[in-house]
Amino acid sequence: MVDHAGAMADRVWRRYDRKQRLTRYAALLITVMVVYWAVRDIDIFWPWVWDAPNQISNLGARMWPPDPSRLAAITNALLETVHIATLATALTIFIALPVSYIAAQNTTPNRACLWLGRFILVSSRSVNTIIWALLFVAIFGPGVLAGILAIMFRSVGFIGKLMGEAIEEIDRRPVEAMEATGASKAKVIAYAIVPQVMPAFFAIVILRWDINIRESTVLGLVGAGGIGVILQGAIDTFAWPTVATILIAIIVLVLIGEAVTGLLRRKVL
Amino acid sequence: MTPPDHADVPRTWRKPPFIANPALRYGLWLAVIVYLIWAFGSLPFNWERISEGLPRAARIFGGGFPPSFERSGLLITGFKESFQIAILATLLGVALSIPFAVMAARNVAPKPIYLLGRAVIIVSRSFHPVIVAILFVAAVGFGPLAGILTLTVYSIGFVGKLLAEEIEEIDWGQVEAMKAVGAGYFATLVYAVFPQILPRQVGLSMYQLDSNLRASAVVGIVGAGGIGGTLMNAFGRYDYDFAFAILLTIIAVILVSEGISGWVRKKIW
Amino acid sequence: MLEISKLVKRYGRDKPVLKELDLTVEGSSVVSIVGASGAGKSTMLRCINRLVEPTSGSIKLNGTELVRLKGRELRRTRRKIGMVFQGFNLIDRLTVMENVLAGRLGYVNLFQAITRRYPQSDIERAFQLMERVGIAHYANKRADELSGGERQRVGVVRALMQEPEILLADEPTASLDPRTSEQIMKLLHSLAHELSLPVLINIHNVAQAKAYTERIVGLRHGRMIFDGAPAGFGKEALDAIYGGIETAEEEITAEPGRSTQGVAHDST
């Protein structure tokens, strides 16, 4: 952080350079123009915008007080949400590790594997969980399986990319030493690579589990299981006090998730 | 640990276990197994429907290839709206995140304000944008306005948190210097705090523009405008070739946007 | 017996690093290879166990031609060639014992390797060797908790676990302080005689080379320009090897400075 601040301070001194100044003005001008275009062109009925604060506070008022009568169902749905996130994260590991192995430049068997690995990672990462869920609901019908698959397909890219980077950053020297003992490729991986990426692995999986808990709260909105199903139902029936309870429950879940990941990080790492 | 002294006793060695306490070690294994049984047992899988999955997948992918770009007009309109949502939400979000970040920074905000600022940030970070979108759609109706509001909240949560952490780490000497010359609270903020965090803010906005663009593709699924709505419609009408065309375009746009955002941030930092 | 003949190594299209090098090492002698940085010492050593692919030439260990070996054959031969590294090349997050047993990786199967269920004979040999170099009490310590000299002892024991027919040491003391590096040289010297093992040591420190080895080979620009007993290694040979190279003085004499650099590099 200190270094960073130092670098920034340096930059400030150089900003009176003519070319940089022009670039700055050009960037500002382009930003203003783009924003102007966006505001003029966007398909918004402006009187609604001025009415929006009213509408929002209206909705807020309808939610108050939260109605706890369906708490049992909500708790069950929350558990389902956690299960989806946990199982999906656990299953993802089995796919993400081989993919990261072939997608890391220093371990990939050949160029074809490297590109295959990168293709898998990029396509997994560029499609949002909820879009994956849409696809899997269309294939397997509404339910938790679609949810688990959606979370898995998105997580493979995340875990795979970060693990690939961790593999690329390992110290080469133990690998060299293991090769010199006459160890086969598999043994070199087990001794020189696995121990080095272990801490990164735990950190990445824990991080992704935390993210997956958040993501699995919305799966139900497209029918892929979890708390979202109840939320959608409550919204559709205008049961706003129940909606409020569900929202509070989600916050509690996310905070618990954060506390658990914080605890795990301290215990494991 | 220590090997026995007399050498004639055959010495053995086993790898010290990762968790030293055997009760805890086997307890953890047991817990994992019990959890897996519980989770799989309690999740409602509709096997009948799932077993239809493969033929359905064949039908979907068969119908989806080749992707059809025939209705490119609809595609372009959708993307234009997504861009507009992302741009306006980034602008609003980044601007609004500054006051919230100041509120949520322990070192510059009074305690009650700090708690309020933290609460706003925690709440806006806890909810997945899709959930926020559904609420805004309910409050202000279908369309890009709900999308902009959603992503503004999302941006406040993300940028506000990072910025608050940044403010907490600023060089306190400059603040004291400003106080020493008798500057008021806001003058101190403007002259001693903002200059230290603004360079980072520019980089963060680029990052946020990129992630807002990603998110704007999904908030449309619940009716908050943009390409997500178009995708949802295509899926709903079993228009799989158009849906796959949209998906491919989304992937392409996200890759390009990620590239640009990365390039700009590298230039700035 | 190790016979190197007409060994050439060139990286890409650059000038060759090794130019038709010939070297024969017989019996159990300790040979030191001296030369300035970039003279090709490290490349030569790594050509022997094929961590570096030679461009042409022949390397024979006890009659087996090493240059053409591939896959399983190559791994079987590598087992017979122990190597000690400048940066120790230990696996920091594993215990000392695991690092030592890693020397048996070429002999055990994958299941044994992963579960660390090594044969009893290997474990006993490991304890014997660790006791011999004085690190047995560290068996269950993590490798990165040890000091530099102790780490290098682990490196030596790991190489000896291979039951090697020859031991290669690539600057084994360059990352250590002067006193520790003396100890390591002494250790290599006496182990060579106890186990009647030929040892090739790349070394910068000419004084140590003279004190602890029986034969000195001088390399310059990929060619051998000195080969003889330490007694015959005088001022002329030194000039021939290092002469005209600016940093020569420093490299020969200022060993402590170098060693701190090496340790700092290692700890990153």
Side-chain angles (χ1 to χ4, degrees), chain C residues 16-31:
Chain C
V17 182
L18 298 176
K19 299 165 190 160
E20 307 224 326
L21 199 76
D22 296 304
L23 175 69
T24 306
V25 179
E26 275 175 292
S28 60
S29 58
V30 183
V31 180

Side-chain angles (χ1 to χ4, degrees), chain B residues 84-208:
Chain B
Q84 291 166 338
I85 292 173
I87 289 165
L88 294 178
T90 308
L91 195 75
L92 281 174
V94 168
L96 286 175
S97 71
I98 294 176
F100 282 110
V102 171
M103 286 168 68
R106 200 181 311 238
N107 53 352
V108 293
K111 188 89 182 181
I113 303 275
Y114 164 74
L115 291 178
L116 179 66
R118 274 282 135 161
V120 169
I121 285 176
I122 287 178
V123 168
S124 51
R125 273 173 53 79
S126 296
F127 292 122
H128 195 284
V130 173
I131 292 185
V132 181
I134 240 186
L135 296 175
F136 277 125
V137 168
V140 302
F142 288 95
L145 178 60
I148 294 175
L149 292 172
T150 302
L151 296 185
T152 305
V153 170
Y154 175 55
S155 309
I156 291 175
F158 185 80
V159 181
K161 175 170 185 274
L162 290 182
L163 210 54
E165 282 164 7
E166 195 83 356
I167 295 176
E168 285 174 354
E169 283 170 10
I170 57 166
D171 170 15
W172 200 242
Q174 297 184 29
V175 176
E176 285 177 342
M178 284 309 295
K179 284 189 175 156
V181 296
Y185 183 76
F186 283 97
T188 314
L189 274 187
V190 171
Y191 285 102
V193 177
F194 290 166
Q196 294 191 52
I197 59 170
L198 278 182
R200 178 143 166 88
Q201 186 72 345
V202 178
L204 270 181
S205 349
M206 279 317 290
Y207 181 82
Q208 194 57 36

Side-chain angles (χ1 to χ4, degrees), chain B:
Chain B
M1 277 282 195
T2 45
D5 289 318
H6 31 101
D8 40 36
V9 180
R11 284 186 290 190
T12 55
W13 175 86
R14 295 300 305 272
K15 183 177 168 52
F18 185 56
I19 301 161
N21 181 348
L24 186 62
R25 191 162 70 238
Y26 295 113
L28 268 181
W29 276 116
L30 195 69
V32 168
I33 291 166
V34 168
Y35 174 78
L36 285 180
I37 293 172
W38 176 47
F40 274 112
S42 71
L43 286 182
F45 289 106
N46 182 353
W47 292 113
E48 231 169 277
R49 176 65 186 75
I50 289 168
S51 59
E52 292 168 24
L54 281 184
R56 268 173 190 265
R59 201 154 72 232
I60 289 174
F61 285 101
F65 282 97
S68 144
F69 288 90
E70 255 167 53
R71 274 175 291 163
S72 56
L74 221 53
L75 192 75
I76 292 171
T77 319
F79 267 107
K80 199 178 69 179
E81 197 166 79
S82 273
F83 276 117
Q84 291 166 338
I85 292 173
I87 289 165
L88 294 178
T90 308
L91 195 75
L92 281 174
V94 168
L96 286 175
S97 71
I98 294 176
F100 282 110
V102 171
M103 286 168 68
R106 200 181 311 238
N107 53 352
V108 293
K111 188 89 182 181
I113 303 275
Y114 164 74
L115 291 178
L116 179 66
R118 274 282 135 161
V120 169
I121 285 176
I122 287 178
V123 168
S124 51
R125 273 173 53 79
S126 296
F127 292 122
H128 195 284
V130 173
I131 292 185
V132 181
I134 240 186
L135 296 175
F136 277 125
V137 168
V140 302
F142 288 95
L145 178 60
I148 294 175
L149 292 172
T150 302
L151 296 185
T152 305
V153 170
Y154 175 55
S155 309
I156 291 175
F158 185 80
V159 181
K161 175 170 185 274
L162 290 182
L163 210 54
E165 282 164 7
E166 195 83 356
I167 295 176
E168 285 174 354
E169 283 170 10
I170 57 166
D171 170 15
W172 200 242
Q174 297 184 29
V175 176
E176 285 177 342
M178 284 309 295
K179 284 189 175 156
V181 296
Y185 183 76
F186 283 97
T188 314
L189 274 187
V190 171
Y191 285 102
V193 177
F194 290 166
Q196 294 191 52
I197 59 170
L198 278 182
R200 178 143 166 88
Q201 186 72 345
V202 178
L204 270 181
S205 349
M206 279 317 290
Y207 181 82
Q208 194 57 36
L209 183 61
D210 179 37
S211 47
N212 278 350
L213 192 58
R214 283 163 187 262
S216 74
V218 295
V219 293
I221 290 176
V222 291
I227 190 69
T230 325
L231 178 67
M232 189 70 177
N233 282 337
F235 253 103
R237 279 186 273 126
Y238 306 106
D239 233 346
Y240 292 122
D241 50 354
F242 186 43
F244 276 90
I246 298 174
L247 263 183
L248 288 179
T249 321
I250 290 180
I251 294 177
V253 167
I254 284 175
L255 286 181
V256 170
S257 138
E258 191 178 88
I260 294 177
S261 143
W263 179 77
V264 170
R265 272 182 293 148
K266 222 191 216 161
K267 281 272 158 181
I268 292 176
W269 258 311

Side-chain angles (χ1 to χ4, degrees), chain B residues 1-4 7 9-16, chain C residues 95 97-98 101 116-117 120 123-124 127-128 131 140:
Chain B
M1 277 282 195
T2 45
V9 180
R11 284 186 290 190
T12 55
W13 175 86
R14 295 300 305 272
K15 183 177 168 52
Chain C
T95 60
M97 188 54 144
E98 283 168 293
L101 288 173
R116 273 66 162 163
R117 286 169 207 270
Q120 182 60 33
I123 289 168
E124 268 169 43
F127 272 119
Q128 270 168 23
E131 247 157 40
N140 278 339

Side-chain angles (χ1 to χ4, degrees), chain A residues 171-174 176-188 190-192 195-199, chain C residues 46 49 51 75 78-79 81 85 87 89-91 93-94 102 105-106 108 110 113 116 118 158 162 266:
Chain A
D171 184 356
R172 273 280 314 160
R173 293 175 304 174
E176 187 187 33
M178 292 302 105
E179 279 170 358
T181 65
S184 61
K185 191 106 193 183
K187 292 176 200 160
V188 173
Y191 271 74
Q196 289 197 59
V197 297
M198 227 31 177
Chain C
R46 281 175 164 71
N49 64 0
L51 287 177
R75 293 201 298 270
R78 273 183 179 164
R79 300 193 307 203
I81 308 172
F85 299 85
N89 296 20
L90 302 183
I91 305 140
R93 299 181 53 84
L94 297 188
L105 279 182
V108 298
L110 184 62
R116 273 66 162 163
Y118 284 83
R158 176 175 66 191
Q162 289 172 235
D266 181 51

